[in-house]
Amino acid sequence: MYWNSLNEVLKAQYGCKVYKLSLSSGCGCPNRDRDGRHGCIFCDGAGAFAAAGSIPDQLKEAKARVAGKIKGDAKYIAYFQSFTNTYASPEYLKPLFCAAMEPDDVVILSIATRPDCLDEPILDLLEECNRIKPVWVELGLQTIHPEVAQHIRRGYPLSCYDRAVRELKKRGISVIVHQILGLPGETQEQMVETTEYIGRSGADGIKLHLLHVLEGTELADEWRKGEVPVLELEEYIPILEQCIEHLPREIVIHRLTGDGAKRDLLAPLWSGDKKRVLNAIHRAFLRDDVEQGRWYQN
């Protein structure tokens, strides 16, 4: 059994556990602005434009939240998570990014964004930050299939993703790509095709998410009408295994599933028990002798 786990990669590199500290940049999302509705159909808008205080205060609060988990030494990733964290001017973003990287125990700056929000000045800023500490840029691709991307209202073509990866890699910046498994109308074969594409695209890491339905989303409306089936755990795990075996061995797997806030989760309810889900995934990987890269062909 082999899969290239982020936790193991970070432990080997830094000699201790590395924790993510979720931060808010206060940025919104161009997709939500463009359509005047809710952007992607699965987006619940949680955290939009949150007034979360200064970056030093956010770091302090985030460290307090994970303090109970820490045993021994620890390092941190400053993670700008919600919405599109390059959807602003470089002048606005630079002090936020620099403040997040300033503490000695913060070893990585991670920025979640969209491929269509990476123009030249923003790329230059990211390159500048990457000379100070390693920068990861997370891109929400979700699928390579145009009809599915249109249905979820992703809002940009695949060529935009390709350009973003190319420009980021040209500047030495690590790229992590998000894929959702179980999108409406998508077959298992199509899901694996997306995974293979990500593996060939130059991505350094991947986050594999389960499609889950949250209250307050357009996806919830479709689900209530019976138009959106959701995966059972027994369906999700074999798809996940197939995807991993079609990835190159060197790509780092940052996430094996995804879950929403329990207060807003409508379906599938099994995804709310994260510990049980991860234990089931790890048992299945061992049982099935999952081998990352087994079926990958470049």
Side-chain angles (χ1 to χ4, degrees):
M1 183 186 76
Y2 168 78
W3 59 283
N4 197 16
S5 160
L6 174 65
N7 281 337
E8 297 306 314
V9 169
L10 291 176
K11 280 183 183 178
Q13 185 171 355
Y14 294 103
C16 63
K17 177 75 173 175
V18 181
Y19 294 88
K20 285 188 176 177
L21 304 176
S22 292
L23 307 174
S24 171
S25 67
C27 292
C29 174
N31 205 25
R32 295 170 67 85
D33 289 351
R34 270 196 297 264
D35 66 17
R37 293 181 291 177
H38 305 292
C40 298
I41 65 170
F42 49 77
C43 180
D44 67 342
F49 310 106
S54 70
I55 295 300
D57 286 346
Q58 289 188 54
L59 287 169
K60 183 178 179 181
E61 292 170 9
K63 285 181 181 180
R65 286 195 293 271
V66 301
K69 304 177 185 177
I70 297 174
K71 297 176 181 178
D73 295 333
K75 302 289 185 185
Y76 301 98
I77 298 168
Y79 182 28
F80 288 93
Q81 181 175 12
S82 296
F83 295 104
T84 307
N85 294 285
T86 59
Y87 186 42
S89 69
E91 292 75 21
Y92 173 83
L93 294 170
K94 183 174 180 178
L96 302 181
F97 294 165
C98 288
M101 291 189 293
E102 187 174 357
D104 291 338
D105 54 5
V106 170
V107 292
I108 296 165
L109 173 66
S110 186
I111 301 165
T113 189
R114 293 170 54 89
D116 54 355
C117 287
L118 290 167
D119 60 18
E120 203 72 22
I122 292 292
L123 289 165
D124 290 343
L125 171 61
L126 297 175
E127 185 176 16
E128 181 182 342
C129 292
N130 195 47
R131 288 195 288 265
I132 301 170
K133 287 184 179 177
V135 171
W136 295 350
V137 171
E138 300 195 11
L139 302 175
L141 176 63
Q142 320 308 0
T143 180
I144 63 168
H145 300 286
E147 67 282 3
V148 181
Q150 183 175 8
H151 180 79
I152 64 173
R153 287 207 312 274
R154 187 182 65 192
Y156 66 83
L158 186 58
S159 58
C160 182
Y161 164 81
D162 291 332
R163 176 197 168 275
V165 175
R166 186 169 60 247
E167 292 300 320
L168 289 165
K169 297 299 292 180
K170 189 189 300 182
R171 291 163 171 82
I173 296 166
S174 294
V175 178
I176 293 94
V177 183
H178 292 239
Q179 177 183 358
I180 295 177
L181 304 180
L183 287 170
E186 195 157 70
T187 66
Q188 179 172 338
E189 182 180 16
Q190 287 177 308
M191 297 177 214
V192 173
E193 287 171 355
T194 293
T195 306
E196 288 183 320
Y197 192 95
I198 292 169
R200 291 193 300 266
S201 70
D204 301 281
I206 187 170
K207 285 188 171 182
L208 293 158
H209 299 264
L210 164 75
L211 179 73
H212 52 268
V213 183
L214 299 178
E215 187 66 79
T217 64
E218 291 185 49
L219 184 65
D221 297 337
E222 293 185 7
W223 175 77
R224 286 192 173 97
K225 294 174 186 174
E227 298 171 357
V228 179
V230 292
L231 296 171
E232 297 297 331
L233 180 59
E234 296 74 17
E235 298 173 295
Y236 181 73
I237 291 177
I239 295 171
L240 182 65
E241 291 180 333
Q242 279 289 302
C243 289
I244 287 172
E245 294 198 323
H246 281 80
L247 283 169
R249 287 179 67 84
E250 65 274 10
I251 197 169
V252 180
I253 298 174
H254 289 235
R255 183 179 282 271
L256 293 170
T257 185
D259 54 351
K262 288 185 181 180
R263 66 181 182 276
D264 298 321
L265 181 65
L266 297 176
L269 293 178
W270 59 262
S271 67
D273 190 346
K274 191 172 182 179
K275 186 175 181 180
R276 170 180 168 260
V277 172
L278 288 175
N279 285 340
I281 289 171
H282 292 153
R283 285 195 303 269
F285 282 10
L286 184 62
R287 178 195 69 211
D288 300 331
D289 190 26
V290 168
E291 189 77 15
Q292 183 175 334
R294 175 174 280 146
W295 306 116
Y296 174 71
Q297 293 182 350
N298 191 351

